[in-house]
Amino acid sequence: MPKLLLKFNAAVIKEIPFDRPALTVGRKPDNDIIIDNPAVSGHHCRISVQGGTYFVEDLDSTNGTLVNEKRVKKAGLHHNDVVGVAKHALVFLEDKPPEPAVTPEPEEPAEKDGTLVMSPEQQAQVLAASAAAKPGASKVGFLKILRGAVDKAEYELSGMSTYIGKSDRVQIPIKGGGIFGSAPEVAASIHRKAEGYVLVAVADGYPTINGTPVSGSVPLKEGDLIECGSTTMQFGLRDASS
Protein backbone atom coordinates (compact mmCIF):
# COMPACT_ATOMS: atom_id res chain seq x y z
CA MET A 1 0.00 0.00 0.00
CA PRO A 2 1.40 3.44 -0.89
CA LYS A 3 1.93 5.87 1.96
CA LEU A 4 2.88 9.47 2.67
CA LEU A 5 5.47 10.72 5.15
CA LEU A 6 4.63 14.14 6.59
CA LYS A 7 7.97 15.87 7.29
CA PHE A 8 9.22 19.16 8.62
CA ASN A 9 12.88 19.69 7.73
CA ALA A 10 14.52 16.27 8.13
CA ALA A 11 12.13 14.98 10.81
CA VAL A 12 9.15 12.71 10.07
CA ILE A 13 6.10 13.98 11.97
CA LYS A 14 3.57 11.41 10.79
CA GLU A 15 3.16 8.41 8.47
CA ILE A 16 -0.14 8.27 6.55
CA PRO A 17 -1.24 5.11 4.69
CA PHE A 18 -2.90 5.78 1.33
CA ASP A 19 -5.91 3.57 2.02
CA ARG A 20 -8.64 5.50 0.17
CA PRO A 21 -9.20 6.99 -3.31
CA ALA A 22 -8.23 10.52 -2.24
CA LEU A 23 -6.67 12.45 0.66
CA THR A 24 -7.13 16.17 1.21
CA VAL A 25 -4.44 18.35 2.80
CA GLY A 26 -4.99 21.69 4.52
CA ARG A 27 -5.30 23.77 7.67
CA LYS A 28 -9.00 23.14 8.38
CA PRO A 29 -10.04 20.18 10.59
CA ASP A 30 -12.17 18.52 7.87
CA ASN A 31 -9.03 17.54 5.90
CA ASP A 32 -7.58 14.03 5.95
CA ILE A 33 -4.10 15.48 6.58
CA ILE A 34 -4.22 18.57 8.81
CA ILE A 35 -1.22 20.91 8.85
CA ASP A 36 -1.64 23.54 11.57
CA ASN A 37 0.29 26.38 9.96
CA PRO A 38 -1.10 29.79 8.88
CA ALA A 39 0.83 29.58 5.59
CA VAL A 40 -1.23 26.49 4.66
CA SER A 41 -4.60 27.20 3.04
CA GLY A 42 -7.81 25.85 4.57
CA HIS A 43 -8.04 23.30 1.74
CA HIS A 44 -4.56 23.32 0.18
CA CYS A 45 -4.28 20.29 -2.12
CA ARG A 46 -5.71 16.85 -2.89
CA ILE A 47 -3.79 13.63 -3.53
CA SER A 48 -5.79 11.00 -5.40
CA VAL A 49 -5.52 7.85 -7.50
CA GLN A 50 -7.01 7.85 -11.00
CA GLY A 51 -6.75 4.83 -13.25
CA GLY A 52 -3.92 3.39 -11.18
CA THR A 53 -1.87 6.61 -11.28
CA TYR A 54 -1.45 8.92 -8.29
CA PHE A 55 -1.84 12.68 -8.69
CA VAL A 56 -1.54 15.78 -6.53
CA GLU A 57 -3.81 18.71 -7.38
CA ASP A 58 -3.54 22.19 -5.91
CA LEU A 59 -6.89 23.52 -4.63
CA ASP A 60 -6.26 27.19 -5.51
CA SER A 61 -4.07 27.58 -2.42
CA THR A 62 -2.53 30.93 -1.60
CA ASN A 63 1.10 29.79 -1.41
CA GLY A 64 0.91 27.00 -3.95
CA THR A 65 1.80 23.32 -4.06
CA LEU A 66 5.25 22.08 -5.09
CA VAL A 67 6.39 18.76 -6.53
CA ASN A 68 10.13 18.27 -6.25
CA GLU A 69 10.58 22.05 -5.77
CA LYS A 70 8.44 23.01 -8.82
CA ARG A 71 5.08 24.73 -8.39
CA VAL A 72 2.24 22.77 -10.00
CA LYS A 73 -1.50 22.86 -10.57
CA LYS A 74 -1.75 19.09 -11.08
CA ALA A 75 1.00 16.52 -11.46
CA GLY A 76 1.54 12.78 -11.36
CA LEU A 77 3.31 11.32 -8.36
CA HIS A 78 5.99 8.66 -8.37
CA HIS A 79 8.05 6.88 -5.76
CA ASN A 80 10.02 9.31 -3.54
CA ASP A 81 8.42 12.44 -5.04
CA VAL A 82 8.24 15.30 -2.52
CA VAL A 83 5.08 17.42 -2.32
CA GLY A 84 5.83 20.81 -0.74
CA VAL A 85 3.04 22.39 1.33
CA ALA A 86 4.22 25.66 2.93
CA LYS A 87 7.10 24.67 5.25
CA HIS A 88 6.13 20.99 5.32
CA ALA A 89 6.75 18.15 2.88
CA LEU A 90 4.80 15.01 1.99
CA VAL A 91 7.02 12.24 0.65
CA PHE A 92 5.12 9.80 -1.58
CA LEU A 93 6.26 6.19 -1.19
CA GLU A 94 4.87 3.72 -3.72
CA ASP A 95 4.97 -0.04 -3.29
CA LYS A 96 5.22 -0.85 -7.01
CA PRO A 97 7.80 -0.09 -9.74
CA PRO A 98 7.84 3.57 -10.81
CA GLU A 99 6.14 4.63 -14.05
CA PRO A 100 7.14 7.37 -16.52
CA ALA A 101 6.91 10.84 -15.01
CA VAL A 102 4.07 13.24 -15.82
CA THR A 103 5.23 16.77 -16.60
CA PRO A 104 3.88 19.25 -14.00
CA GLU A 105 1.61 22.00 -15.31
CA PRO A 106 2.51 25.61 -14.45
CA GLU A 107 0.46 27.27 -11.72
CA GLU A 108 -1.28 30.60 -12.10
CA PRO A 109 -0.89 33.03 -9.15
CA ALA A 110 -3.49 32.19 -6.47
CA GLU A 111 -5.73 34.78 -4.89
CA LYS A 112 -5.47 35.56 -1.20
CA ASP A 113 -8.17 33.85 0.88
CA GLY A 114 -7.19 34.90 4.38
CA THR A 115 -4.22 32.54 4.40
CA LEU A 116 -0.86 34.05 5.32
CA VAL A 117 1.11 34.82 2.14
CA MET A 118 4.76 33.83 2.40
CA SER A 119 7.45 36.28 1.37
CA PRO A 120 10.08 35.29 -1.24
CA GLU A 121 12.48 34.63 1.62
CA GLN A 122 9.98 32.25 3.24
CA GLN A 123 9.38 30.57 -0.12
CA ALA A 124 13.13 29.96 -0.31
CA GLN A 125 12.98 28.36 3.13
CA VAL A 126 10.32 25.97 1.80
CA LEU A 127 12.67 24.72 -0.92
CA ALA A 128 15.40 24.12 1.66
CA ALA A 129 13.09 22.69 4.33
CA SER A 130 14.21 19.07 3.87
CA ALA A 131 17.96 19.78 4.11
CA ALA A 132 19.49 18.06 7.14
CA ALA A 133 21.90 19.97 9.37
CA LYS A 134 25.06 18.65 11.00
CA PRO A 135 25.12 19.18 14.77
CA GLY A 136 27.96 20.94 16.54
CA ALA A 137 29.94 18.79 18.93
CA SER A 138 31.32 21.11 21.62
CA LYS A 139 28.13 22.40 23.27
CA VAL A 140 24.67 21.00 23.75
CA GLY A 141 21.64 23.23 24.19
CA PHE A 142 18.85 22.95 26.71
CA LEU A 143 15.59 24.70 27.53
CA LYS A 144 14.76 25.56 31.13
CA ILE A 145 11.02 25.94 31.75
CA LEU A 146 10.42 29.17 33.66
CA ARG A 147 6.62 29.25 33.46
CA GLY A 148 3.82 26.93 32.37
CA ALA A 149 5.63 23.60 32.76
CA VAL A 150 3.65 20.69 31.28
CA ASP A 151 6.00 17.73 31.56
CA LYS A 152 9.29 18.59 33.27
CA ALA A 153 11.46 21.54 34.24
CA GLU A 154 14.24 21.15 31.65
CA TYR A 155 14.73 19.62 28.21
CA GLU A 156 18.06 18.82 26.59
CA LEU A 157 18.32 19.63 22.88
CA SER A 158 20.63 16.75 22.01
CA GLY A 159 18.86 15.70 18.80
CA MET A 160 19.11 17.38 15.41
CA SER A 161 15.48 18.56 15.67
CA THR A 162 13.23 19.20 18.68
CA TYR A 163 9.55 20.09 18.27
CA ILE A 164 7.37 22.25 20.55
CA GLY A 165 3.54 22.16 20.62
CA LYS A 166 0.48 20.45 22.07
CA SER A 167 0.70 17.32 19.88
CA ASP A 168 1.54 14.05 21.62
CA ARG A 169 4.28 13.60 18.99
CA VAL A 170 6.40 16.60 20.01
CA GLN A 171 9.35 16.45 22.42
CA ILE A 172 8.35 19.57 24.39
CA PRO A 173 4.62 19.88 25.24
CA ILE A 174 3.21 23.35 25.95
CA LYS A 175 0.04 25.00 27.20
CA GLY A 176 -2.18 27.25 25.06
CA GLY A 177 -2.56 30.99 24.99
CA GLY A 178 -1.27 33.76 22.73
CA ILE A 179 -2.64 34.76 19.33
CA PHE A 180 -3.96 31.27 18.56
CA GLY A 181 -5.85 30.78 21.86
CA SER A 182 -5.14 27.07 22.12
CA ALA A 183 -1.61 25.90 21.37
CA PRO A 184 -0.93 24.66 17.79
CA GLU A 185 -0.20 20.98 17.27
CA VAL A 186 3.36 22.00 16.34
CA ALA A 187 4.20 25.61 17.24
CA ALA A 188 7.97 25.71 16.70
CA SER A 189 11.03 23.58 16.20
CA ILE A 190 14.65 23.94 17.27
CA HIS A 191 17.37 22.59 14.99
CA ARG A 192 20.96 21.85 15.94
CA LYS A 193 23.35 23.00 13.23
CA ALA A 194 27.11 23.27 12.90
CA GLU A 195 26.93 27.01 13.56
CA GLY A 196 24.57 26.69 16.53
CA TYR A 197 20.89 26.30 17.37
CA VAL A 198 18.08 27.81 15.29
CA LEU A 199 14.41 28.23 16.21
CA VAL A 200 11.90 27.90 13.36
CA ALA A 201 8.33 29.17 13.75
CA VAL A 202 6.07 26.42 12.42
CA ALA A 203 3.08 28.59 13.42
CA ASP A 204 4.37 31.99 12.28
CA GLY A 205 4.09 34.69 14.93
CA TYR A 206 3.12 32.29 17.73
CA PRO A 207 6.54 31.77 19.34
CA THR A 208 8.39 34.86 20.56
CA ILE A 209 12.06 35.36 21.40
CA ASN A 210 12.73 38.05 24.00
CA GLY A 211 9.24 39.41 23.36
CA THR A 212 9.52 39.59 19.55
CA PRO A 213 7.19 37.34 17.47
CA VAL A 214 9.09 34.93 15.24
CA SER A 215 8.34 34.24 11.57
CA GLY A 216 10.73 31.97 9.72
CA SER A 217 13.97 31.06 11.51
CA VAL A 218 16.03 32.85 14.17
CA PRO A 219 19.45 31.83 15.60
CA LEU A 220 19.35 31.25 19.35
CA LYS A 221 21.73 32.92 21.80
CA GLU A 222 22.43 31.77 25.32
CA GLY A 223 19.93 33.36 27.71
CA ASP A 224 17.22 33.95 25.07
CA LEU A 225 13.67 33.78 26.45
CA ILE A 226 11.27 31.78 24.27
CA GLU A 227 7.53 32.12 24.80
CA CYS A 228 4.99 29.75 23.25
CA GLY A 229 1.52 30.60 24.52
CA SER A 230 1.60 30.49 28.32
CA THR A 231 4.88 28.57 28.44
CA THR A 232 8.15 30.49 28.91
CA MET A 233 11.52 28.82 28.36
CA GLN A 234 15.13 29.99 28.57
CA PHE A 235 17.75 28.73 26.13
CA GLY A 236 21.15 27.75 27.47
CA LEU A 237 24.31 25.89 26.49
CA ARG A 238 26.48 23.46 28.40
CA ASP A 239 29.42 21.20 27.66
CA ALA A 240 28.37 18.07 25.81
CA SER A 241 29.95 15.90 28.48
CA SER A 242 27.92 17.54 31.30
Side-chain angles (χ1 to χ4, degrees), residues 46 125 160 166 182 205:
R46 179 190 298 112
Q125 290 174 4
M160 288 179 62
K166 73 174 183 181
S182 63

Side-chain angles (χ1 to χ4, degrees), residues 135-203:
S138 58
K139 297 280 187 179
V140 63
F142 65 93
L143 290 181
K144 183 178 180 181
I145 308 299
L146 303 180
R147 179 171 64 93
V150 174
D151 189 1
K152 53 187 180 181
E154 186 176 294
Y155 297 87
E156 186 170 277
L157 306 173
S158 55
M160 288 179 62
S161 299
T162 302
Y163 289 84
I164 303 168
K166 73 174 183 181
S167 170
D168 57 5
R169 296 177 180 270
V170 302
Q171 291 85 3
I172 303 179
I174 60 171
K175 296 180 179 179
I179 62 175
F180 285 75
S182 63
E185 292 292 315
V186 183
S189 58
I190 296 176
H191 303 277
R192 190 182 183 192
K193 300 187 176 183
E195 63 271 22
Y197 286 84
V198 175
L199 183 139
V200 176
V202 178

